[in-house]
Amino acid sequence: MFAKNSKAYSVYLLFRFVCSLAVSMSTVLSIVYHLEVVQLDAFQLVLVGTVQETSCFLFEMPTGVVADLYSRRRSVLIGMFLYGLGFLMEGALPWFAPVLLAQVVWGCGDTFITGALEAWIASEEEDKPIDKVFLRGSQMGQIGGVLGVVLGTLLGNINLQMPLVLGGSLCLLLGLVLGRIMPETNFSPAIEERQGLLKDFVCLFKLNLGFVKGAPVLLALLAITLCGGLASEGFDRLSTAHFLDDTVIPVIGPLNSVTWFGVISLIGNGLGILASQLLIARMEKKGTVSRTSVVMSTSAGYILCLVLFAVGRSFWFMLLMFLLAGLMRTIKEPVLAAWMNDHVDEKMRATLFSTSGQLDSFGQIIGGPIVGLVAQQVSIPWGLVCTAFLLLPALFLVPVAGKKRD
């Protein structure tokens, strides 16, 4: 498959595969690790995620500016090394304070990659349909995620720290490989005449702000991203605790509580691969898909499935709703990114995608403590219901984005 594509596209698919493998291996049992090894309570559990997202929020815009001013390739490489360092720190030091610090490190690394990667491949592969590029990249990430889940689960059954340590090491290795093979031929800085880092940052920020103000579609899409951030942190951080506290996880042969979470992630990735392939096949047949319909239906489906997951007590029912809720997000994200890419200036792609990531992080910063306190003071199911309701405004914003024209 790689031989039939250009070098940049092949490197992009390889990156999505290996990076997802490393991240999935590191995070598949991270919540179990936080609960059983670090022994965090419900509020601390959400606080860990909030610290990570606060780091993303604070660093997202500066790192996006670095990508648009200096090099998107260089930004991705820095991000991979910070990813590796953060995972190694989290796995090697199983205490609350180091775990919090690790979130800052790999959260910062994530900001160097977010926006820069999408802008890099969009510039290097301008002739390819971007929806298909992002969907194929998402699919390769899910395939890598499947392998990462298997490896992380097997290693986690031996020692819950091992997946984090080995996943971090793989991130560092990927960074070294990318330094040798990742091309960058179509990059041109957003500002040709440099006036110093701070002045360049302010200038690019003003340009980006002015561009977004003049693009109603982008405003609506960025607002949808904010809603998605509000409605994601509770799901990511509380779903494992909901399984552990509010239902009986069946023990079937080797499937203990640790192994089950690996299997759940494995099934979720498999469903994502299948759904992405079906969407790609439809695009190849019809030429395009209705982005408005996809984002609207997946947002509504996420809300419904998350509420049903929260109120469920049967393990099998909860499992079905959890998988469907995750599938809705898997389908929505690449389509939303492609929709946004069509309405942004090439020289400001990384900054715009970083703004999107920053809004997602801001939503998680706001939404995380709210649902964490609800979970702590009332119950985990009510925290999940609160999470679902935070996405409701998106159902009104999607039609607005569909009707607007720049």
Side-chain angles (χ1 to χ4, degrees):
M1 177 179 62
F2 291 147
K4 295 178 181 179
N5 297 309
S6 68
K7 184 177 180 180
Y9 186 47
S10 299
V11 170
Y12 173 69
L13 297 180
L14 178 66
F15 173 88
R16 293 300 305 268
F17 174 79
V18 179
C19 183
S20 292
L21 188 158
V23 173
S24 293
M25 182 167 63
S26 301
T27 60
V28 61
L29 298 177
S30 62
I31 304 298
V32 180
Y33 169 71
H34 292 158
L35 289 168
E36 296 188 1
V37 178
V38 190
Q39 298 185 339
L40 306 183
D41 61 30
F43 183 71
Q44 288 176 321
L45 198 64
V46 175
L47 186 60
V48 165
T50 302
V51 167
Q52 178 199 331
E53 295 306 327
T54 301
S55 302
C56 291
F57 174 74
L58 293 176
F59 291 107
E60 192 72 70
M61 183 62 74
T63 55
V65 171
V66 168
D68 277 339
L69 286 178
Y70 298 99
S71 168
R72 292 158 183 174
R73 172 184 176 276
R74 191 181 305 170
S75 184
V76 171
L77 295 178
I78 293 171
M80 285 311 305
F81 288 117
L82 289 176
Y83 253 141
L85 181 61
F87 286 136
L88 285 172
M89 184 185 303
E90 185 173 357
L93 303 172
W95 303 287
F96 181 50
V99 166
L100 281 181
L101 180 59
Q103 309 311 304
V104 175
V105 175
W106 77 267
C108 179
D110 186 67
T111 65
F112 274 98
I113 296 173
T114 303
L117 180 67
E118 292 84 358
W120 170 77
I121 191 61
S123 296
E124 296 295 312
E125 300 292 346
E126 292 180 325
D127 297 332
K128 283 186 169 64
I130 198 63
D131 297 75
K132 186 176 178 180
V133 170
F134 285 160
L135 280 167
R136 186 65 75 186
S138 175
Q139 189 179 48
M140 290 299 295
Q142 290 152 11
I143 294 171
V146 168
L147 182 56
V149 165
V150 172
L151 292 174
T153 303
L154 292 174
L155 293 169
N157 275 279
I158 300 172
N159 185 307
L160 284 170
Q161 293 173 263
M162 287 181 64
L164 283 159
V165 173
L166 292 179
S169 300
L170 184 56
C171 287
L172 295 177
L173 178 61
L174 177 60
L176 292 174
V177 172
L178 289 175
R180 298 297 300 270
I181 68 172
M182 188 176 185
E184 187 170 41
T185 57
N186 293 334
F187 173 73
S188 57
I191 301 174
E192 296 292 344
E193 296 183 4
R194 303 293 173 77
Q195 304 176 27
L197 182 60
L198 182 59
K199 289 184 178 180
D200 289 343
F201 172 82
V202 173
C203 180
L204 189 58
F205 177 78
K206 289 181 178 179
L207 287 173
N208 186 61
L209 184 62
F211 183 81
V212 171
K213 283 183 177 180
V217 176
L218 279 178
L219 287 173
L221 294 177
L222 289 172
I224 294 169
T225 300
L226 174 63
C227 293
L230 289 168
S232 65
E233 186 67 8
F235 178 72
D236 293 337
R237 299 292 169 176
L238 297 178
S239 55
T240 300
H242 183 40
F243 273 117
L244 291 173
D245 294 349
D246 298 318
T247 191
V248 177
I249 300 177
V251 178
I252 305 173
L255 291 178
N256 55 30
S257 59
V258 173
T259 309
W260 257 117
F261 289 110
V263 171
I264 290 170
S265 295
L266 189 64
I267 296 171
N269 278 292
L271 290 174
I273 293 167
L274 177 60
S276 297
Q277 185 59 43
L278 291 174
L279 196 55
I280 290 171
R282 183 177 176 183
M283 289 175 56
E284 290 176 342
K285 183 178 180 180
K286 296 189 175 182
T288 186
V289 294
S290 171
R291 292 166 176 169
T292 303
S293 298
V294 172
V295 176
M296 172 64 85
S297 60
T298 53
S299 298
Y302 176 79
I303 293 170
L304 176 61
C305 292
L306 185 51
V307 170
L308 292 175
F309 170 68
V311 301
R313 290 298 179 270
S314 165
F315 172 77
W316 299 108
F317 177 77
M318 288 169 58
L319 176 60
L320 177 62
M321 293 301 105
F322 174 81
L323 291 172
L324 289 175
L327 182 61
M328 296 300 105
R329 288 203 306 181
T330 298
I331 296 172
K332 182 187 76 172
E333 289 172 359
V335 175
L336 188 61
W339 195 353
M340 197 175 299
N341 182 77
D342 280 357
H343 298 278
V344 64
D345 182 81
E346 191 281 329
K347 289 189 175 183
M348 294 188 291
R349 276 193 180 122
T351 306
L352 190 280
F353 279 116
S354 290
T355 301
S356 175
Q358 192 171 41
L359 286 172
D360 180 76
S361 299
F362 181 69
Q364 296 189 50
I365 292 168
I366 300 299
I370 293 173
V371 300
L373 287 172
V374 171
Q376 186 183 55
Q377 300 299 321
V378 185
S379 69
I380 289 173
W382 274 108
L384 289 166
V385 170
C386 179
T387 297
F389 287 161
L390 291 174
L391 188 59
L392 282 174
L395 300 183
F396 301 95
L397 291 166
V398 174
V400 173
K403 292 178 180 178
K404 294 283 187 183
R405 294 290 183 271
D406 285 347

